[in-house]
Amino acid sequence: MESQLPTTTGAPPALRAPSGDRVRLFALQATAEFGHAVARALGRPLSAHEERGFEDGEHKVRPLDAVGNADVYVVQSLHGGPAESANDKLCRLLFFIGALKDAGASRVTAIVPYLCYARKDRRTKANDPVTTRYLGSMFEAVGTDAVVTLEVHNPVAFENAFRCRTVTLPAATLFIDYARTLGDDRLCVVSPDPGGAKRAELFRTALEETLDRPVGKAFADKHRSAGVVSGDLFVGDVAGATALVVDDLISTGGTLARAARAARQAGARRVIALVAHGLFMAGAAEALADSALDQVVVTDSVPPFRLGPGAARDKLLILPAAPLLAETIARLRDGRPLSDLLAF
């Protein structure tokens, strides 16, 4: 017996795309709000689909609009919570992609603002899983033609894990637009750990070219083993500058807080975090409330549902990522290059 009535999303029949239009855009229910934002930015309605759950926890998802010979894009962010785990969302997405291909879709592109398991891209201990590679195999097994995501932990490992086409969009383009509004004479880009140095340097170089003036650089040291973080080294000239700490995600916020304190001790006038994905796990509210950190800027790839009212939430600024993903979809649809979106 079914545990609930089916959930349908998409445009009413009067607004559905005409039969001659072979592009379809779906957004699964867990990411419906973000999907509607992408649809508005694209200037087209979401296609309709059905999601149905059963009493034993199983589920099915099927398109209600025709997808035969269509170029299909499916939006689903794969973060855990608030109602479904990352595994639940991944399973629904994979099954839906399989259903679309079975229904005759000519091409299916997964639009995944936040990609689960992207941090587990190599073995750090004996017999560790390389989960990102297994993830790629699952997407390919159901017939996925391309995967588009925002700011993965390691772009090279992500590309190597998939045999289908992959597009990893840097969040830098969003953060550069924000940085231009600051009006600060002195900016310094800080990597919170050595592993993020390349990401920070690419952002610094692009920001320097955009502003047409020098932008400083710095990095903080961090070593993680068995969940324990250590390292106190800070290198760079941030004295009197606004320090922009660039990272791919916030989990507990400890790394950002450590970098912010180090930048302050080195003389930074203020510290702003620029982070693509805000997971805000347990402890993040306390860490981000640290007075060394003035503002935390994230995208809406993951809604900040774990971050309640308080000092950390008051510092939060959320940048919409839907326009960037909509532009990417439009270019993929038309076969136009993405090079300027990826040049960070």
Side-chain angles (χ1 to χ4, degrees):
M1 181 180 294
E2 295 157 1
S3 61
Q4 60 184 44
L5 293 174
T7 299
T8 59
T9 63
L15 295 179
R16 288 180 186 168
S19 58
D21 183 356
R22 303 316 304 167
V23 174
R24 299 287 183 267
L25 175 66
F26 293 92
L28 296 186
Q29 189 62 33
T31 315
E33 184 176 351
F34 193 98
H36 281 290
V38 172
R40 286 192 296 270
L42 271 173
R44 65 177 305 118
L46 287 176
S47 296
H49 76 284
E50 175 192 50
E51 296 185 42
R52 187 185 295 271
F54 301 96
E55 287 184 342
D56 60 358
E58 294 182 1
H59 50 76
K60 73 171 184 180
V61 189
R62 68 185 180 106
L64 297 178
D65 284 345
V67 296
N69 298 318
D71 183 13
V72 182
Y73 300 84
V74 185
V75 181
Q76 173 84 314
S77 198
L78 299 178
H79 57 84
E84 297 176 7
S85 71
N87 295 334
D88 292 331
K89 293 174 183 177
L90 173 62
C91 189
R92 287 175 183 261
L93 175 59
L94 292 173
F95 286 2
F96 187 47
I97 291 171
L100 290 166
K101 296 296 282 191
D102 285 347
S106 63
R107 184 173 72 168
V108 177
T109 300
I111 306 296
V112 185
Y114 177 78
L115 182 68
C116 59
Y117 297 110
R119 285 179 283 177
K120 195 54 185 167
D121 54 32
R122 62 190 177 94
R123 293 186 178 91
T124 55
K125 297 186 184 301
N127 301 320
D128 260 2
V130 186
T131 317
T132 302
R133 179 161 56 85
Y134 312 151
L135 190 68
S137 297
M138 289 190 286
F139 271 102
E140 291 154 9
V142 295
T144 311
D145 296 282
V147 177
V148 177
T149 190
L150 178 68
E151 197 71 61
V152 295
H153 185 66
N154 185 334
V156 174
F158 168 66
E159 292 174 356
N160 288 337
F162 288 74
R163 289 173 297 176
C164 66
R165 183 178 184 180
T166 57
V167 177
T168 176
L169 297 166
T173 181
L174 305 176
F175 294 145
I176 285 174
D177 289 343
Y178 165 79
R180 294 174 67 178
T181 70
L182 293 175
D184 290 43
D185 292 332
R186 273 201 78 199
L187 296 174
C188 182
V189 174
V190 179
S191 172
D193 55 42
K198 183 176 182 180
R199 175 185 292 105
E201 178 59 16
L202 289 172
F203 175 74
R204 190 199 66 81
T205 301
L207 181 59
E208 196 170 66
E209 292 176 356
T210 300
L211 299 178
D212 194 27
R213 56 185 171 86
V215 175
K217 59 181 174 181
F219 76 88
D221 186 31
K222 184 187 78 169
H223 176 70
R224 184 190 302 274
S225 180
V228 177
V229 177
S230 60
D232 297 314
L233 178 66
F234 186 88
V235 178
D237 182 16
V238 296
T242 291
L244 304 176
V245 185
V246 178
D247 210 348
D248 61 321
L249 61 85
I250 299 171
S251 182
T252 63
T255 296
L256 278 182
R258 286 170 59 86
R261 289 192 296 269
R264 285 287 196 181
Q265 290 169 7
R269 186 171 62 84
R270 62 174 173 164
V271 180
I272 299 172
L274 305 177
V275 184
H277 311 293
L279 299 182
F280 304 120
M281 305 307 294
E286 293 76 16
L288 300 181
D290 194 305
S291 60
L293 193 57
D294 293 281
Q295 189 167 50
V296 179
V297 183
V298 297
T299 77
D300 57 354
S301 63
V302 181
F305 57 89
R306 295 188 181 96
L307 203 59
R313 187 63 183 253
D314 293 341
K315 296 180 182 182
L316 194 63
L317 175 65
I318 301 174
L319 302 180
L324 175 60
L325 288 165
E327 175 65 17
T328 303
I329 291 171
R331 295 192 190 192
L332 290 173
R333 175 195 63 198
D334 300 336
R336 290 183 284 138
L338 303 173
S339 53
D340 58 312
L341 300 180
L342 307 177
F344 295 100

